[in-house]
Amino acid sequence: MSRCVFNEATDEEMQQLQQLLNDDPGLQQQYDLISQVFKNASAPNLPDPYNYELQALSLLDKAEKMEALAGPETVIRPIKK
C-alpha cells in the first residue's frame, strides 16, 4: 500500500493492489484512510507534518477495531470523497 501511496509501485504492483481493494471493501477503506493521511501530511492544520506515519497506523488500528466490533455480516463501505 505504501509503495502505491508514494507512487513508487510498479504497474504490476498497482494492479495487484487494485484487485485486492476491489475484492475487500474493508481493505479499500483502510487504503483510503492511509492515502488521505499521506495526502494531508503537509497540510498546515497538522501539528507535526512528519508524524503522518503514526497517524496512519492509528487510523488503521481504529478501522480494525471497528471492523471487529461490527462482525462479519456487516459491510464496511469506502469513504466517499
Side-chain angles (χ1 to χ4, degrees), residues 56-71:
L57 292 172
S58 175
L59 287 171
L60 281 175
D61 185 52
K62 288 178 184 177
E64 288 173 359
K65 288 177 183 174
M66 288 175 58
E67 187 174 346
L69 290 173

Side-chain angles (χ1 to χ4, degrees), residues 24-56:
D24 186 343
L27 188 62
Q28 177 68 58
Q29 185 179 30
Q30 291 178 8
Y31 181 74
D32 291 343
L33 288 169
I34 290 172
S35 297
Q36 186 177 5
V37 168
F38 287 122
K39 183 175 145 185
N40 295 327
S42 61
N45 62 338
L46 293 178
D48 181 0
Y50 301 103
N51 196 25
Y52 60 86
E53 194 170 337
L54 290 175
Q55 293 172 7

